[in-house]
Amino acid sequence: MEGSNTYLIRPNHQYKFKPAIVKECIREIVRERLSGMLYDPEEVPELSRSLADGIKDKVKNAGFDRYKLVVQVVIGEQRGQGVKMSSRCLWDADTDNYAEDVFMNDSLFCVVAVFGSYYY
Amino acid sequence: RVSATTKNKRVGSLILKKNDRKSYSRVTFPSEAVAMDEYQTEEETAFVVEEVSKIIKESVEAAIGGNAYQHSRVNQWSTSVVEQCLSQLSKLGKPFKYIVTCIIMQKNGAGLQTASTCFWDNSSDGSCAVRWENKSMYCIVNVFGLAL
């Protein structure tokens, strides 16, 4: 009888997507990049893209193996308008999770959401 | 008779192996062995952007169609947009995990920018973004589909 391969179908507890750690990652980067910034319509596209890339790299290096990541960054101007952002996910609640953070200063607000989904 | 083949897919710097979807089960009736194979064709397992975009547009129309921005109802609107999208997507029956996000913003002259970046398998995963507006508000819906 030959031996069979073993496949991991769920991550061990220590390798699970930990929202608290990811939230810390997001917070550091956003605070560092956006403190004191003013909303500038020309710069914002580049800024949001680079913020998303920076956060994605930081989370990747935090060592969540076999996790697919989706990072979404929303930057808006503060002018007294109302905004609502919501999300719903169809996934395996046991292995998958998300982390989010909101940053506000006088001229802009920034919402970052990072979703992690385990690749079986 | 079981044959398992594996496909290698490069995802960033990880190599993840993916098994083809074949399952074999043997039921021993007195004189027969029954084998069940499930195959899913390429079309049924791909993320089709047009189809998803249509679903999103319909859900948004149905949930907030002719309404004007009201702060007290935004919560309920965004929840219903997202839930309706998700239930329609799951009805497609495709082997995907979905992430749906919705941003509703009052029209005020202010600017808004969204960006997203994903670490996934480009050949099987996909995303779709739909921008909808009426006289008093904007609604941006993003759907990310991650293949199983």
Side-chain angles (χ1 to χ4, degrees):
Chain A
M1 191 171 77
E2 28 178 66
S4 53
N5 291 333
T6 56
Y7 294 95
L8 223 57
I9 40 177
R10 14 178 332 235
N12 288 323
H13 181 73
Q14 56 201 132
Y15 299 116
K16 271 196 186 170
F17 188 87
K18 300 215 186 66
I21 297 185
V22 178
K23 185 168 171 139
E24 225 11 77
C25 290
I26 302 177
R27 216 157 241 236
E28 277 172 26
I29 297 191
V30 170
R31 245 129 264 246
E32 173 197 323
R33 299 280 300 272
L34 293 185
S35 286
M37 266 232 152
L38 294 174
Y39 185 90
D40 178 6
E42 331 254 301
E43 268 181 36
V44 161
E46 200 38 56
L47 178 63
S48 55
R49 236 169 280 148
S50 73
L51 209 62
D53 283 329
I55 293 175
K56 181 189 72 174
D57 290 330
K58 186 137 198 210
V59 177
K60 260 170 70 178
N61 293 332
F64 297 111
D65 271 356
R66 297 198 74 95
Y67 269 95
K68 288 184 176 177
L69 302 170
V70 175
V71 177
Q72 187 172 24
V73 171
V74 180
I75 302 186
E77 198 181 350
Q78 280 244 50
R79 276 224 208 164
Q81 81 275 25
V83 187
K84 175 84 184 163
M85 176 163 163
S86 58
S87 75
R88 273 282 187 289
C89 311
L90 182 69
W91 59 21
D92 182 345
D94 188 30
T95 58
D96 306 331
N97 217 323
Y98 79 101
E100 33 113 346
D101 196 32
V102 181
F103 169 80
M104 292 200 278
N105 72 15
D106 287 330
S107 85
L108 57 77
F109 68 89
C110 173
V111 182
V112 178
V114 177
F115 303 91
S117 153
Y118 189 71
Y119 185 67
Y120 300 107
Chain B
R1 180 178 109 251
V2 175
S3 63
T5 55
T6 53
K7 270 192 235 167
N8 283 338
K9 294 206 170 154
R10 276 209 84 96
V11 177
S13 57
L14 289 174
I15 299 184
L16 302 175
K17 291 195 199 302
K18 188 169 177 175
N19 286 326
D20 279 348
R21 259 168 234 91
K22 278 191 200 172
S23 69
Y24 171 82
S25 80
R26 183 188 232 160
V27 176
T28 48
F29 282 103
S31 55
E32 288 180 350
V34 176
M36 292 194 314
D37 285 326
E38 319 170 358
Y39 292 94
Q40 287 188 299
T41 56
E42 256 325 299
E43 303 90 67
E44 288 172 10
T45 60
F47 188 83
V48 183
V49 180
E50 297 87 38
E51 194 177 27
V52 174
S53 158
K54 195 170 77 119
I55 289 179
I56 301 176
K57 289 191 183 125
E58 287 170 5
S59 310
V60 174
E61 264 312 311
I64 54 181
N67 298 321
Y69 183 88
Q70 277 169 270
H71 187 73
S72 53
R73 297 190 60 193
V74 171
N75 246 327
Q76 166 205 357
W77 283 339
S78 68
T79 314
S80 77
V81 167
V82 161
E83 278 174 1
Q84 206 159 4
C85 272
L86 205 53
S87 67
Q88 297 289 76
L89 287 168
S90 65
K91 283 196 192 129
L92 292 177
K94 295 194 173 178
F96 278 95
K97 290 183 179 177
Y98 293 104
I99 297 171
V100 182
T101 66
C102 163
I103 303 171
I104 299 185
M105 184 169 92
Q106 186 183 20
K107 273 194 183 182
N108 189 345
L112 184 80
Q113 176 77 30
T114 71
S116 65
T117 170
C118 310
F119 176 62
W120 62 19
D121 182 346
N122 259 327
S123 55
S124 59
D125 305 329
S127 72
C128 174
V130 169
R131 236 198 62 165
W132 180 96
E133 62 180 284
N134 71 9
K135 287 218 203 85
S136 60
M137 57 184 170
Y138 295 109
C139 178
I140 303 175
V141 178
N142 268 307
V143 173
F144 302 95
L146 308 170
L148 287 177

